[in-house]
Amino acid sequence: SQTIHQWPATLVQPVGSPLSLECTVEGTSNPNLYWYRQAAGRGLQLLFYSVGIGQISSEVPQNLSASRPQDRQFILSSKKLLLSDSGFYLCAYGLAGVGQETQYFGPGTRLLVL
Amino acid sequence: KQEVTQIPAALSVPEGENLVLNCSFTDSAIYNLQWFRQDPGKGLTSLLLIQSSQREQTSGRLNASLDKSSGRSTLYIAASQPGDSATYLCAVLHMDSNYQLIWGAGTKLIIKP
């Protein structure tokens, strides 16, 4: 069976500091990977998705970036955090083909930028 | 542009009641619709996935229906329990954006013992 891990669970960072959130998937190969952000009281916003190693697509222009250095590892980064980056960040994976998959979510990272 | 709306934003009912959560979407060109559950401060758990060709899916006390032509889905919860308290989100996989789930803002459900 597959499992998905995210860390850290919570993070408090000052404005202007760097960010690195990590997501790993176990028990499968070549999953589609996603980073979402959920602002308080709002729906999920897709930030990045990846269909393979080194392949990253960005949905929303921002000061965040994503990388996929290994098949089952997805990293969300920022060089300088903004106050507006605060939120709940969720990583997800999908297994089936385009248009048919369901997505499975990690436990999330709560980020507070002060 | 596909938009997903969930009404009500919050719902509080006594334990044991049957209840219905609503989800509507503006564009019927979807591959599928999913219902998720999110507990406070936690990730999302997929509850039910309905393909565009299907009318409903059932899992235990949960039943989800899909009326693509009218742009509506409902999540029916039978014999509600306090453990059902959570935020329920629906999302559609739109045909014009292969990877992007379009999300509703969710319905926060509280089941009172």
Side-chain angles (χ1 to χ4, degrees), chain B residues 59-101:
Chain B
S59 175
R61 294 182 294 108
L62 305 179
N63 177 277
S65 68
L66 175 64
D67 185 343
K68 205 171 64 166
S69 61
S70 67
R72 293 181 182 178
S73 175
T74 61
L75 179 66
Y76 174 83
I77 303 177
S80 59
Q81 304 171 358
D84 296 329
S85 298
T87 296
Y88 290 80
L89 296 118
C90 71
V92 298
L93 189 60
H94 193 218
M95 287 184 176
D96 287 344
S97 183
N98 285 335
Y99 293 99
Q100 186 167 151
L101 286 172

Side-chain angles (χ1 to χ4, degrees), chain B residues 11 17 20 24 26 46 55 63 73 75 79 84 89 101 104 106 111:
Chain B
L11 182 63
E17 282 197 7
V20 174
S24 61
T26 55
S46 180
R55 296 299 299 265
N63 177 277
S73 175
L75 179 66
D84 296 329
L89 296 118
L101 286 172
I111 306 298

Side-chain angles (χ1 to χ4, degrees), chain A residues 2 42 73 84 106:
Chain A
Q2 300 86 30
R42 301 180 65 180
Q73 184 185 29
S84 58

Side-chain angles (χ1 to χ4, degrees), chain A residues 5 11 25 27 44 49 54 81 94 100 106 113:
Chain A
H5 304 278
L11 192 58
V25 180
L44 277 75
Y49 67 87
L81 284 168
Q100 299 299 316
V113 182

Side-chain angles (χ1 to χ4, degrees), chain A residues 38 59 88 98-99 102 106-107, chain B residues 31 34 38 42-43 98-100:
Chain A
Q38 186 180 34
E59 290 296 317
F88 192 49
V98 169
T102 186
Chain B
Y31 285 115
Q34 283 184 255
Q38 185 177 28
K42 301 290 182 63
N98 285 335
Y99 293 99
Q100 186 167 151

Side-chain angles (χ1 to χ4, degrees), chain B residues 3-80:
Chain B
E3 294 181 357
V4 180
T5 304
Q6 290 186 248
I7 295 174
L11 182 63
S12 180
V13 300
E15 179 179 6
E17 282 197 7
N18 303 323
L19 58 99
V20 174
L21 305 181
N22 296 296
C23 174
S24 61
F25 48 95
T26 55
D27 190 336
S28 61
I30 64 172
Y31 285 115
N32 59 50
L33 182 145
Q34 283 184 255
W35 282 94
F36 293 84
R37 168 185 174 140
Q38 185 177 28
D39 293 286
K42 301 290 182 63
L44 280 74
T45 301
S46 180
L47 298 174
L48 291 163
L49 169 70
I50 311 177
Q51 299 292 352
S52 63
S53 58
Q54 297 175 326
R55 296 299 299 265
E56 65 176 350
Q57 283 286 329
T58 298
S59 175
R61 294 182 294 108
L62 305 179
N63 177 277
S65 68
L66 175 64
D67 185 343
K68 205 171 64 166
S69 61
S70 67
R72 293 181 182 178
S73 175
T74 61
L75 179 66
Y76 174 83
I77 303 177
S80 59

